Every structure is written in structure tokens, then in C-alpha cells.
């Protein structure tokens, strides 16, 4: 009874912090320690891992963060970097959550008008996804969301051809098919347009410029043959005009400015620590061994292949499609 009498009575102004929903456990955005400037979320440094952590404010962008469409998902089994014999073939992998992958339509053969149902966050992809709903059939599909696409917008795919009513535009105006999110053949896109999700084979899926903030520009085009496209790296390469591309740049360009803040955040994403070669033994790495800290060795991989500028591409493999290589060297 004496101990109970000394125990302070509960205050009526005590704030109860409930557990954040599963979709917020990675960002902690709903906790009182989070602050948002409309672009990024920073945190009060109650722990060392939160001091420098910076997340993207999904609420300010109006991005949906709930469960995906079940029929458009598949379960991905983790390997931990092991092959079929159980031997490690890719170092630095292990752990992480269960992966439910959203199946994205990179081919976009479905013609007709599609309405953007919502812009969705995919935890296993840097770019946002757009959930499309076909106006006639009601079929749902995911595409990589371009920057500027909003809920309620209408996008189309013209891979099978452009209708006669949309084939010609008035002089001095852009064709009506050149809208953000529309998929066309490269030969139907004007020179100077910004594109993403570029295919490398006729009727093949998109393979280039699919990550957050990525884009390319058409610098030469025609009705047959190959078009010249400048990538973000500065490389200019030839791509057949029958291949398809999507108008605009990929969404979520601020992805590159996020800060995880702690090593544990990396472990939660399935990435294990990486050990430096100079900290190993000579039997484990060419940089290993020596008395104390040693330098002066040529930088190589654990298998002895030189790094830092060494060309590893085989000479018998063609590179005729590269018109201008990306800038290389320290003076770039």
C-alpha cells in the first residue's frame, strides 16, 4: 500500500503514441519526432540513426502507400546471394523483408485510353508506379509513373499505330499524341523530346531509363533506320525507330537526396556489410596482408581483375550502336 501511495497518479495530459501502421514503419512519418518541409521528412535526433535520416514526404506528393493490387503481384524468393549449390556468388546480400513484387507493364501493347487510378509507392523500386484502368474493359495494370502524371489523367499506347484523326497536327503545334505518359514508337516522337522507358528491340519491353528521375533525349530521328538518343550519362547511342518509348521523365527525382541515416537501415533492405580488401588476409584478397597499414598495390577485385578504368568488355563484342561514349576520367 505504501508503494502504491508513492506511485504518481496518471496525468490527464499524457500523450499516447500508438504504433505506426505497417506502411509507415520504414519512414516513421506519423511519429511526433518527424518534421516535414513539404519535400523531405527529417527527424528529431532522439537516436543516432535518426540524426541524419531524411525520407521523401509521400503525403505531400499525394502518393498511395497501401497494399498493391493482389492480381498484379508475385512473390520473389530471396537467395541470400547463393546459387543452386548453396555457394555465395554475390557478396553483401542477406536478410531483409519478404518481397512482394508488382508486375509492371513494360511492353504496353494494350491500345485504348487508360485512366490513372492512383500514383503508388513501391518499396522495392525507386520510381513511383501509376495504376491504370482501361476505360472500356476495366483491366488494371501498372506502369512506371512519369514526372507530372496525376490521378485522373488519361494515357494511351500507340505501339500498334496512330489513328488517322491524331496523325496530323496543325503547323506550329505539338501532335496530340505527345502527352506525358503516352507510349509511341520512336519514329513518331519529335526530335528534342524527353523520353523514358526505352525499348531496345521491336515489340520488346522497356529496358533503358526506368529508375527514379531518369530520362533521355532524341537528337536525331527518321521514319526508318536508327535514331540517335542521348542518355543521362552523356552517351549517344543508336536505337531502332520501331522501338517504343514513353513521353516524359521518370517520377521521384528526389530519390537521390534521401539519407538512410544508419547501418541498420541498410541491413533492413537486405544489404550486408562490406569488408575492405586491405583488412583481409592475403589468402582472402590481393590487397590483404602486410605489417600495419599498407598501400601501393594496384587496385584489383578479389579475383585479381584491375579496377579504376580497366576495360573489361570483350573485343569481339560489337559496339557499333554507341555513337559517342559517356565521358570518362577524372577531368570530367
Amino acid at each position: 500500500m505504501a508503494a502504491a501511495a508513492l506511485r504518481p497518479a496518471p496525468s490527464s495530459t499524457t500523450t499516447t503514441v500508438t504504433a505506426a501502421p505497417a506502411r509507415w514503419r520504414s519512414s516513421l512519418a506519423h511519429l511526433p519526432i518527424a518534421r516535414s518541409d513539404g519535400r523531405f521528412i527529417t527527424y528529431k535526433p532522439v537516436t543516432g540513426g535518426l540524426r541524419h535520416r531524411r525520407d521523401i514526404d509521400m503525403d505531400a506528393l499525394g502518393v498511395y502507400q497501401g497494399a498493391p493490387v493482389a492480381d498484379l503481384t508475385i512473390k520473389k524468393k530471396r537467395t541470400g546471394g547463393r546459387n543452386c549449390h548453396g555457394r555465395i556468388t554475390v557478396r553483401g546480400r542477406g536478410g531483409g523483408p519478404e518481397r512482394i513484387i508488382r508486375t509492371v507493364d513494360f511492353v504496353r501493347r494494350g491500345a485504348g485510353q487508360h485512366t490513372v487510378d492512383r500514383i503508388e509507392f513501391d518499396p522495392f523500386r525507386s520510381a513511383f508506379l501509376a495504376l491504370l484502368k482501361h476505360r472500356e474493359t476495366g483491366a488494371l495494370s501498372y506502369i512506371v509513373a512519369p514526372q507530372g502524371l496525376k490521378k485522373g489523367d488519361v494515357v494511351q499506347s500507340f505501339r500498334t499505330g496512330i489513328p488517322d484523326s491524331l496523325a496530323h497536327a496543325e503547323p506550329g503545334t505539338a501532335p496530340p499524341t505527345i502527352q506525358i505518359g503516352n507510349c509511341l514508337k520512336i519514329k513518331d516522337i519529335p526530335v528534342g523530346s524527353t523520353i523514358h522507358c526505352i525499348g531496345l528491340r521491336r515489340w520488346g519491353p522497356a529496358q533503358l531509363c526506368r529508375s527514379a528521375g531518369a530520362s533521355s533525349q532524341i537528337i536525331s530521328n527518321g521514319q526508318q533506320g536508327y535514331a540517335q538518343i542521348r542518355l543521362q550519362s552523356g552517351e549517344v547511342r543508336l536505337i531502332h525507330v520501331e522501338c517504343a518509348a514513353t513521353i516524359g521523365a521518370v517520377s521521384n527525382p528526389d530519390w537521390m537526396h534521401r539519407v538512410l541515416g544508419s547501418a541498420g537501415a541498410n541491413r533492413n533492405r537486405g544489404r550486408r556489410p562490406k569488408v575492405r580488401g586491405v583488412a583481409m588476409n592475403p589468402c582472402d584478397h590481393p590487397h590483404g596482408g602486410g605489417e600495419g597499414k599498407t598501400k601501393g598495390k594496384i587496385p584489383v577485385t578479389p579475383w585479381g581483375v584491375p579496377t579504376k578504368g580497366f576495360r573489361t568488355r570483350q573485343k569481339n563484342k560489337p559496339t557499333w550502336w554507341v555513337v559517342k561514349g559517356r565521358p570518362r576520367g577524372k577531368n570530367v
Side-chain angles (χ1 to χ4, degrees):
M1 294 297 295
L6 296 176
R7 192 176 298 130
S11 174
S12 59
T13 59
T14 303
T15 302
T16 303
V17 180
T18 58
R23 60 178 183 174
W24 288 106
R25 287 173 187 170
S26 60
S27 63
L28 307 175
H30 281 183
L31 296 182
I33 59 176
R35 311 185 190 99
S36 174
D37 60 357
R39 184 181 176 188
F40 295 105
I41 297 176
T42 55
Y43 302 92
K44 184 179 178 179
V46 295
T47 63
L50 293 178
R51 181 173 301 277
H52 301 290
R53 180 166 178 169
R54 181 168 59 192
D55 293 325
I56 298 174
D57 193 351
M58 305 294 180
D59 280 348
L61 298 176
V63 178
Y64 172 79
Q65 302 170 73
V69 179
D71 294 338
L72 300 178
T73 59
I74 57 175
K75 183 177 179 180
K76 183 178 180 181
K77 182 180 179 181
R78 285 185 176 272
T79 62
R82 274 80 172 171
N83 61 4
C84 59
H85 300 290
R87 299 186 180 95
I88 295 178
T89 56
V90 181
R91 303 178 302 161
R93 292 191 181 182
E98 180 184 14
R99 284 179 177 254
I100 303 297
I101 305 299
R102 294 163 172 82
T103 56
V104 181
D105 182 14
F106 288 115
V107 181
R108 298 193 65 178
R109 294 194 181 186
Q113 295 183 342
H114 294 75
T115 304
V116 178
D117 195 33
R118 66 192 181 206
I119 304 298
E120 188 166 321
F121 168 71
D122 187 352
F124 306 116
R125 195 181 303 270
S126 60
F128 297 142
L129 298 181
L131 181 62
L132 304 184
K133 183 176 183 180
H134 199 283
R135 282 193 169 184
E136 297 180 0
T137 63
L140 299 177
S141 62
Y142 282 119
I143 66 168
V144 176
Q147 183 71 8
L149 194 68
K150 303 182 297 298
K151 178 181 179 180
D153 293 349
V154 177
V155 297
Q156 301 186 60
S157 176
F158 299 100
R159 293 200 69 166
T160 57
I162 299 178
D164 295 336
S165 58
L166 302 176
H168 304 286
E170 299 181 0
T173 61
T177 57
I178 307 302
Q179 303 292 336
I180 292 179
N182 285 358
C183 181
L184 302 93
K185 294 182 179 180
I186 293 179
K187 66 180 181 180
D188 298 326
I189 304 176
V191 175
S193 300
T194 301
I195 57 177
H196 69 281
C197 284
I198 307 168
L200 297 179
R201 293 180 289 114
R202 307 178 193 182
W203 293 108
Q207 295 177 258
L208 298 180
C209 301
R210 305 191 321 189
S211 60
S215 64
S216 297
Q217 187 179 24
I218 299 177
I219 60 178
S220 177
N221 204 352
Q223 290 300 314
Q224 57 184 356
Y226 292 85
Q228 293 187 11
I229 296 180
R230 182 189 292 116
L231 306 179
Q232 272 190 329
S233 63
E235 177 182 309
V236 179
R237 64 178 297 157
L238 299 176
I239 298 179
H240 202 277
V241 295
E242 293 292 334
C243 299
T246 306
I247 307 298
V250 183
S251 57
N252 198 14
D254 288 331
W255 178 262
M256 61 182 296
H257 301 301
R258 70 191 182 104
V259 180
L260 296 181
S262 64
N266 245 342
R267 296 301 300 267
N268 294 336
R269 286 161 174 78
R271 309 189 193 111
R272 299 189 69 245
K274 297 181 181 179
V275 182
R276 295 168 296 126
V278 295
M280 300 183 184
N281 293 322
C283 62
D284 298 321
H285 200 283
H287 294 170
E291 295 294 333
K293 293 185 178 180
T294 58
K295 294 183 179 180
K297 298 181 181 180
I298 298 177
V300 295
T301 66
W303 304 275
V305 180
T307 60
K308 296 188 181 298
F310 182 74
R311 299 294 184 92
T312 58
R313 186 176 182 87
Q314 298 180 8
K315 294 182 180 180
N316 60 349
K317 287 198 173 183
T319 55
W320 57 267
W321 54 79
V322 178
V323 178
K324 177 184 176 183
R326 61 181 175 87
R328 300 172 185 266
K330 298 182 178 179
N331 298 326
V332 176

